[in-house]
Amino acid sequence: MRILSQWLRAYMPTLAVSDRQLADDLTLRGIAVEGVFDLPASDLGATHGSLFDMDITTNRVDAMNHYGIAREAAAIYNVPLLPLDESLPQAKPTSAPRIAIRIEAPDLCGRFTARVLRKVTIAPSAAEVAGRFALLEQKQISNAVDATNFVVQAMGHPTHAFDLDKVEGAIVVRRARDGERLKLLDGTERTLVADDLVVADERKALALAGVMGGWETMITPETKNILVEAAWFDPASVRRSSRRHGLHTDASHRFERGADFAAPPIASAMVCRLILAAGGELEGEMLDVIVPEQAARTLHRPVVQLALHDVTRILGRTEEAHPLDAATIERYLTALGCRMKKSSDAGTLSVELPSWRLDLERDIDLIEEIARLHGYNRFANTLPAFSGSVVELPHASQERTVRRKLLAAGYTETVFSTFCSADDAATFAPQGHSSVPLGNPLSEEAGHLRPSLLPGMLAMLAHNLNHGVDNVRLFEMGTVFHGNTDRVQERPSLAIGATGNILASAHTAARGYSFYDIKGIVEELLAGFSFASLAFAPIENAAAWLHPGRAARIVLDGHTLGYFGQLAEAESTQRKLKQPVFVGELDLALLFRHVLRLPAIQPLSRFPAVTRDFSFIFSDAVRWEQIAASLTALGITAMRPLEALEIFRDAKGKTVPQGSYSLLVRTVFQSQERTLRDEEIQGWAEQVMAALAQLGGVLRDGATAPG
Amino acid sequence: MSQETIPQLTAFDVAALDRSFGELLRSVQQEAARMVSADDREKFRLYWLGRKQGRLKSIGEAWLKTAPVEAKKAIGQRFNQLKEQIEQALDAGSPSVAARAAGRSAGPISDALDITLPGIRPGLGAEHPLIKTLHEVVGIFERMGYSVGIGPEVETDYYNFESLNFPPNHPARDTQDTLVVAGQEKKPLRERLLLRTHTSPVQIRTMEQQPPPLRIVIPGKVHRNDAADATHSPIFHQVEGLCVDTNITFSDLKGTLDHAMKELFGSSVKTRFFPSFFPFTEPSADVQISCIFCSGKGCRKCKHSGWIELLGCGMVDPAVFGFVREKQSAYDPKKISGFAFGMGIDRIAMMKYGISDIGLLYSGDMRFLEQFA
Ligand SMILES: [Zn+2]
């Protein structure tokens, strides 16, 4: 909104501060001046002051005009504010019957005033209006139309001028009839509904009340007689009509935020005076119909009791030594238009609220006004006293552990969109869960709340591959959503995704990220938690997005924690991924039911450890799980955890037959109590070899016999 | 290196030679490792290779004398090998010796590495700038006695709007501004599900659970039906704070945020408060900090004002306590008071790290993210 500093000063002739100071002080009090522009001086050298570009918050419709802002400034600087000029030429008495005004929708129109002007001259606006409009770069139309716009700029109340000769009979403010048609000033023809309020005559609708005037009764150069409407319409009703018809006008903007119930007579007088300046006469006194219930809602609101101690209880200390005393508080409120009523209690002010401040209703609203006018930055910076303890989120330390491990292992954290496509939602929703559609999605691709972090993870991997980044390791911790439109369940989830090489450098050969890398990071993560059992099972029919032979289901204490592995060929092709991609997702809600593992330290043995390696050839059908289990089953207490030291397959079948692999198993024997004897170790080694042979293992040719 | 007895060689098979020459090599290596000065080096040379008293010569003579003819050739070869190893040890010892003695490099070194080549970096993961900033802000308030709270991302209209004193027709409730779950039209307004537009619903949820005094800081992801551009994203992050007790004042709010901003941006940062409007606070304020780029002198980043707007705050509106009182009667606005504040983490992170496109934060782009490693 544009404001002229000189226009403001016209209402405060004693104001002594500069335009820039005025702009700063208004801004610090919530009447934001976004920009101050010097206006060029007139040809005669007279200054035109500055143009302020204002941004007034929607709750302060009273300050969306020059007089309202001048009132704020006068309150800030404690200078007098001149009253608005309501003067009018003497009305010509008339013997003819006056136009009747009927408010048939008293819930939507609280007040309707009308003045009749005869024998007017429609001409360009005179200097008072034309000069200011030129500075504001506002389009000029004619003295009658400009007058209504000028008054809005001056004091904020919208009015409307009708060509009286087109009005047939009485003025009726009523609900529109369903399907009733009305051609508006913008030339569009609207079909109205019963919820629209219209200003009508006996035969037809003349205007969409509070929104826009009608075409038929508009002022033209031929207009001779005018009816000036100044009314008060219900804010919600104007908002509904404005929305319904997609008509956001200056008038609707103001009415829907709550206009001043006391303003119509003043606005009407100002408009009439401006029109009559070019000739014509005022016929009779103003017609004024008031709906008492609406006046009670606005003009005669209950007095607010403001306890002085509540002002300090809420606002606290000011930087000045003296607190906000009663006299200062009274001065601030009075300057804003409040009136102090007699109060029975010295510690309480009885405050009558100004009709133009419908945003003020309660004592807290007045406390805000006091703080605002005093200046927020004049309050001290204090810290509240505190005793108590700080409580972290229940899973904060578990989450920290997961994040720390992933970062240390070279996975970069990401944050991605909460949404995914319906297709992705269907593919990645965990078994037995449905995904939740949005009512007004940002796009079709974002139609569902993500039931899994994996669509996003795959999109990020693809993004990197498409931008020439081939080696990627990522993770995301975020919320996934399951359920239906009546009930949405949220769970924390972790996604891991990787592709390309790891540890590529000038000094070492690159190595492709493999299934065992993603399994390794899952194992590292889980090693931080306490649990009784952990197994990696085939995915079988679940998680169709994974390569069935290169994927695993994580089973933690009997519950499925998640899936991971190489992305299925079909998914990979569909997403145009040019190299193998590995992904996994873990249910963090389930994982966080497990507390972090508290390390229980084993004493370091003082006795030597003896290493024995066994090289055997096994059929591909024999899995490590079986080998480990059979060696563990030997129950050798001195045997430390087994290691699969090396696995070798020979594609040509020369050194190792096809369909078989050679496995180098390392066993380490060590006792906490004593040095182990050679014979003991030899005995165990023989047990190990027997167990391996039992599984079909064949001692590898040329392998040195242990001993 | 005192004179020692000559070790005996009794067996001449390969294993016995392995063992005996292995022991000799070990003692060479041990002594070579102890060389520090040029003097040490000369002593080492004389001890092993000296023409008259050299140990290698004495042992060689002794062992060859007792060896059977067929073993003499092998023993001789092994002595030649050992001599080479001793000479290598002398070479290897010399540069460090010389360098330590003279403080400068002593010519080319046969096994030197190009130490200017890049090292093998294990490749750490990068912290996400949003998560990092979120933790930083939360940490500041934790140190000021705030506990941490979170809440659901899908909220009801009641918690997101109604209980925060948004009037029924408030524009924020419009689907143009708020993303909603499908199929809500037939439900009563307050039960309709939507994506929370701010973290403020957690204020209500926490107060319903817990009587005052209360200090809570709430990080979280929020959504709005906004078109994406360089500075707007439909997805963004907030940190919200709430402090309720007897005698919590507006000046406490000012002091708290002034302290927090100094913690976050450095002690020279100033704050300034402006009247603003939020349905759930009154008085409401916008907070600006003095521009961290130009220290308040004015630059492009602060639009030459010297100030940057960073957060919204205010005293909790009594109407909000009114909603909470239905479940926790202790929130009586005549007895207690409180303040709340909220800030956009994306904007703070963008400012701290000079990020000009908010979309990068949600792209998973390694070229961007690895700069935070
Ligand atoms: Zn700056």
Side-chain angles (χ1 to χ4, degrees):
Chain A
M1 190 181 61
R2 292 164 169 215
I3 290 292
L4 299 174
S5 67
Q6 292 240 307
W7 197 342
L8 297 177
R9 288 173 190 278
Y11 299 124
M12 305 172 281
T14 59
L15 184 69
V17 301
S18 72
D19 284 355
R20 291 200 179 260
Q21 184 65 47
L22 174 61
D24 283 350
D25 287 331
L26 283 169
T27 304
L28 281 164
R29 268 118 184 133
I31 308 294
V33 182
E34 303 274 283
V36 178
F37 305 95
D38 294 331
L39 290 168
S42 73
D43 295 344
L44 299 171
T47 173
H48 289 307
S50 316
L51 182 81
F52 291 172
D53 185 16
M54 312 282 303
D55 183 18
I56 307 289
T57 49
T58 55
N59 59 326
R60 290 300 307 275
V61 64
D62 67 288
M64 295 176 184
N65 60 75
H66 285 84
Y67 195 69
I69 293 170
R71 186 190 291 119
E72 290 286 321
I76 295 168
Y77 299 114
N78 200 15
V79 296
L81 177 74
L82 298 185
L84 288 164
D85 180 5
E86 299 175 56
S87 65
L88 272 176
Q90 189 67 42
K92 193 166 170 277
T94 173
S95 52
R98 307 293 310 273
I99 287 178
I101 294 169
R102 288 204 308 275
I103 298 180
E104 290 185 353
D107 51 334
L108 305 186
C109 175
R111 185 171 196 179
F112 196 97
T113 73
R115 278 190 170 103
V116 171
L117 308 179
R118 299 280 180 192
K119 299 177 201 158
V120 299
T121 304
I122 301 303
S125 286
E128 180 186 2
V129 172
R132 283 178 176 165
F133 272 26
L135 293 173
L136 290 167
E137 292 176 27
Q138 173 147 357
K139 197 178 154 202
Q140 296 175 45
I141 298 159
S142 70
N143 57 347
V145 178
D146 293 350
T148 60
N149 289 334
F150 183 86
V151 169
V152 169
Q153 297 271 6
M155 48 79 78
H157 199 84
T159 55
H160 188 68
F162 295 91
D163 186 331
L164 186 55
D165 297 325
K166 310 275 171 64
V167 175
E168 299 166 272
I171 295 284
V172 186
V173 187
R174 59 165 169 86
R175 286 185 158 81
R177 284 181 284 275
D178 251 331
E180 186 172 5
R181 296 180 76 80
L182 172 61
K183 189 176 179 185
L184 295 177
L185 275 177
D186 63 1
T188 62
E189 182 147 338
R190 306 280 169 161
T191 305
L192 308 179
V193 300
D195 192 40
D196 287 320
L197 183 72
V198 293
V199 176
D201 61 19
E202 306 275 15
R203 282 195 47 238
K204 59 189 183 294
L206 305 178
L208 191 54
V211 181
M212 192 180 274
W215 180 271
E216 202 172 321
T217 49
M218 83 177 160
I219 305 297
T220 66
E222 289 72 44
T223 299
K224 291 284 173 280
N225 300 305
I226 289 178
L227 181 137
V228 174
E229 165 212 298
W232 189 94
F233 300 113
D234 175 60
S237 162
V238 173
R239 186 182 308 117
R240 288 196 303 270
S241 280
S242 159
R243 287 270 174 97
R244 186 177 303 121
H245 297 288
L247 283 170
H248 186 90
T249 63
D250 195 29
S252 72
H253 188 79
R254 291 160 193 273
F255 278 123
E256 70 182 49
R257 282 166 179 76
D260 177 2
F261 202 90
I266 308 165
S268 167
M270 292 173 73
V271 169
C272 292
R273 180 173 54 77
L274 288 169
I275 298 175
L276 293 174
E281 56 198 26
L282 183 63
E283 182 184 274
E285 295 304 324
M286 183 178 77
L287 297 157
D288 189 1
V289 182
I290 290 179
V291 178
E293 296 78 18
Q294 301 278 21
R297 261 176 69 191
T298 55
L299 211 48
H300 310 299
R301 288 178 292 163
V303 164
V304 173
Q305 303 298 325
L306 176 64
L308 291 171
H309 82 264
D310 274 344
V311 177
T312 5
R313 183 174 73 91
I314 298 296
L315 297 181
R317 282 189 16 224
T318 57
E319 288 208 317
E320 297 90 349
H322 63 87
L324 280 168
D325 55 21
T328 313
I329 290 170
E330 268 188 54
R331 181 173 82 65
Y332 289 152
L333 294 177
T334 310
L336 292 174
C338 295
R339 288 198 197 132
M340 299 303 137
K341 295 280 155 188
K342 261 220 147 22
S343 175
S344 52
D345 167 7
T348 303
L349 297 177
S350 294
V351 185
E352 193 181 272
L353 302 169
S355 58
W356 56 85
R357 290 296 302 272
L358 295 184
D359 59 315
L360 303 183
E361 285 174 345
R362 309 163 297 170
D363 55 350
I364 191 70
D365 302 332
L366 299 177
I367 292 173
E368 178 174 57
E369 290 302 290
I370 294 160
R372 197 172 64 76
L373 274 188
H374 189 68
Y376 279 8
N377 298 299
R378 287 168 68 193
F379 288 88
N381 286 338
T382 55
L383 286 174
F386 176 69
S387 61
S389 64
V390 174
V391 185
E392 273 199 317
L393 286 174
H395 301 127
S397 60
Q398 288 152 303
E399 194 186 304
R400 259 198 303 276
T401 297
V402 169
R403 177 172 282 115
R404 179 174 55 75
K405 287 190 173 223
L406 284 160
L407 289 172
Y411 292 78
T412 287
E413 181 157 22
T414 60
V415 179
F416 203 68
S417 168
T418 314
F419 314 112
C420 71
S421 69
D423 280 353
D424 278 346
T427 306
F428 290 93
Q431 271 184 327
H433 287 292
S434 51
S435 65
V436 182
L438 289 168
N440 56 341
L442 292 158
S443 69
E444 207 181 318
E445 290 70 46
H448 281 241
L449 289 169
R450 58 180 180 183
S452 156
L453 301 181
L454 291 171
M457 178 54 70
L458 290 170
M460 291 188 283
L461 291 172
H463 171 91
N464 281 296
L465 290 175
N466 293 338
H467 287 84
V469 186
D470 295 338
N471 307 322
V472 190
R473 274 174 286 169
L474 301 176
F475 75 96
E476 180 179 12
M477 280 201 250
T479 308
V480 294
F481 305 81
H482 309 134
N484 52 48
T485 53
D486 282 328
R487 214 177 133 68
V488 179
Q489 276 146 10
E490 300 184 20
R491 291 175 85 81
S493 186
L494 165 70
I496 300 171
T499 185
N501 289 326
I502 51 179
L503 265 185
S505 82
H507 319 285
T508 46
R511 180 171 76 68
Y513 193 97
S514 76
F515 169 84
Y516 296 105
D517 286 300
I518 193 162
K519 182 174 179 188
I521 188 62
V522 168
E523 288 170 326
E524 286 289 8
L525 288 181
L526 298 183
F529 291 81
S530 60
F531 51 83
S533 78
L534 168 64
F536 295 95
I539 58 170
E540 285 162 4
N541 294 323
W545 37 275
L546 284 172
H547 183 309
R550 295 184 171 193
R553 179 166 67 95
I554 311 164
V555 188
L556 190 67
D557 283 358
H559 297 284
T560 299
L561 182 68
Y563 296 86
F564 66 87
Q566 186 171 336
L567 190 69
E569 187 82 37
E571 280 296 322
S572 195
T573 312
Q574 195 201 323
R575 288 164 200 275
K576 300 192 174 71
L577 299 170
K578 60 180 184 182
Q579 62 190 44
V581 152
F582 299 85
V583 286
E585 185 165 28
L586 275 65
D587 180 348
L588 290 181
L590 192 59
L591 179 60
F592 290 166
R593 283 193 221 148
H594 297 259
V595 296
L596 289 176
R597 184 177 61 82
L598 188 68
I601 296 304
Q602 291 291 314
L604 304 180
S605 174
R606 292 182 288 117
F607 304 99
V610 180
T611 303
R612 289 285 182 273
D613 294 345
F614 305 92
S615 185
F616 271 72
I617 291 176
F618 285 102
S619 146
D620 281 346
V622 181
R623 291 143 57 97
W624 169 253
E625 191 178 46
Q626 295 162 262
I627 295 167
S630 80
L631 298 190
T632 310
L634 295 173
I636 303 167
T637 47
M639 188 165 79
R640 295 218 309 241
L642 292 167
E643 240 184 296
L645 210 57
E646 192 184 280
I647 290 156
F648 176 70
R649 281 186 170 81
D650 183 352
K652 289 181 183 151
K654 278 186 186 166
T655 48
V656 177
Q658 280 171 340
S660 300
Y661 64 99
S662 117
L663 173 70
L664 183 64
V665 186
R666 168 159 290 179
T667 57
V668 177
F669 302 98
Q670 188 175 31
S671 162
Q672 290 285 357
E673 285 97 31
R674 60 189 173 78
T675 302
L676 297 170
R677 295 189 311 276
D678 284 352
E679 316 82 81
E680 283 178 301
I681 293 164
Q682 190 57 37
W684 290 329
E686 277 158 19
Q687 283 183 37
V688 167
M689 292 204 289
L692 294 177
Q694 183 90 45
L695 287 168
V698 177
L699 189 64
R700 205 177 156 193
D701 289 343
T704 359
Chain B
M1 281 183 245
S2 58
Q3 278 302 330
E4 286 160 275
T5 52
I6 307 289
Q8 293 291 310
L9 187 65
T10 49
F12 300 93
D13 61 291
V14 173
L17 291 181
D18 275 355
R19 201 162 42 241
S20 301
F21 278 90
E23 273 164 27
L24 278 180
L25 181 61
R26 260 196 299 286
S27 58
V28 166
Q29 285 166 340
Q30 277 169 15
E31 280 158 19
R34 283 198 286 268
M35 287 191 295
V36 175
S37 65
D39 199 34
D40 294 342
R41 203 175 136 241
E42 184 57 15
K43 276 184 190 155
F44 175 86
R45 195 186 65 78
L46 284 173
Y47 176 77
W48 285 103
L49 304 177
R51 257 176 227 274
K52 286 180 184 164
Q53 308 273 310
R55 190 162 169 75
L56 198 62
K57 191 173 177 232
S58 324
I59 297 173
E61 281 167 1
W63 286 6
L64 283 166
K65 207 158 70 185
T66 56
V69 181
E70 65 273 19
K72 280 188 199 294
K73 192 182 171 196
I75 293 171
Q77 279 172 352
R78 285 186 186 242
F79 271 111
N80 284 338
Q81 239 174 36
L82 189 60
K83 193 179 169 202
E84 274 174 34
Q85 282 162 328
I86 293 167
E87 281 164 350
Q88 270 172 22
L90 271 168
D91 284 348
S94 70
S96 65
V97 169
R100 273 178 225 152
R104 62 186 148 79
S105 167
I109 308 151
S110 59
D111 58 352
L113 297 173
D114 177 358
I115 59 156
T116 65
L117 276 172
I120 302 173
R121 297 173 63 162
L124 302 180
E127 272 186 281
H128 195 282
L130 276 178
I131 306 291
K132 194 178 157 86
T133 311
L134 209 67
H135 287 160
E136 249 174 72
V137 174
V138 167
I140 289 168
F141 288 99
E142 279 185 303
R143 291 193 289 281
M144 292 171 85
Y146 287 67
S147 294
V148 188
I150 51 170
E153 291 174 34
V154 174
E155 263 297 0
T156 59
D157 180 277
Y158 179 77
Y159 283 109
N160 197 73
F161 291 126
E162 184 180 340
S163 62
L164 288 161
N165 201 33
F166 280 76
N169 290 313
H170 195 279
R173 273 189 156 123
D174 199 292
T175 52
Q176 281 184 353
D177 293 314
T178 302
L179 291 166
V180 298
V181 170
Q184 304 299 305
E185 297 77 10
K186 285 183 185 146
K187 293 184 188 173
L189 182 61
R190 53 160 56 186
E191 288 170 26
R192 292 184 190 172
L193 296 176
L194 46 86
L195 278 127
R196 65 174 177 193
T197 58
H198 45 187
T199 39
S200 312
V202 188
Q203 289 186 22
I204 307 293
R205 289 182 175 274
T206 310
M207 286 191 279
E208 284 182 350
Q209 298 294 318
Q210 211 178 314
L214 183 72
R215 284 186 185 202
I216 187 157
V217 59
I218 304 150
K221 197 180 198 185
V222 302
H223 299 83
R224 290 192 194 160
N225 194 359
D226 264 349
D229 63 29
T231 52
H232 294 88
S233 163
I235 300 164
F236 54 104
H237 290 75
Q238 284 188 337
V239 169
E240 181 103 4
L242 174 69
C243 172
V244 184
D245 202 344
T246 48
N247 299 314
I248 296 294
T249 66
F250 183 70
S251 60
D252 291 337
L253 166 63
K254 282 194 70 211
T256 298
L257 291 180
D258 187 71
H259 175 81
M261 291 301 110
K262 285 181 162 65
E263 285 267 292
L264 193 58
F265 293 107
S267 56
S268 60
V269 157
K270 294 190 208 45
T271 55
R272 149 170 124 147
F273 288 66
F274 287 80
S276 187
F277 176 70
F278 306 108
F280 42 99
T281 53
E282 187 153 341
S284 299
D286 284 330
V287 186
Q288 295 184 338
I289 61 163
S290 53
C291 179
I292 56 168
F293 302 104
C294 63
S295 311
K297 288 186 211 63
C299 69
R300 204 166 46 83
K301 295 236 168 77
C302 59
K303 292 183 192 141
H304 303 282
S305 69
W307 296 90
I308 291 177
E309 194 160 309
L310 212 59
L311 39 85
C313 63
M315 302 302 291
V316 178
D317 194 300
V320 171
F321 288 138
F323 283 102
V324 172
R325 283 184 85 183
E326 293 171 18
K327 290 192 178 158
Q328 279 285 358
S329 58
Y331 288 95
D332 177 354
K334 282 287 158 207
K335 296 192 179 118
I336 52 103
S337 53
F339 62 71
F341 55 85
M343 60 194 101
I345 294 302
D346 303 58
R347 224 170 88 74
I348 295 177
M350 288 171 79
M351 234 171 74
K352 277 195 93 146
Y353 302 112
I355 302 163
S356 54
D357 179 3
I358 193 171
L360 284 171
L361 294 170
Y362 300 99
S363 66
D365 192 316
M366 282 295 283
R367 297 167 301 172
F368 168 71
L369 292 171
E370 66 191 1
Q371 298 180 49
F372 297 91

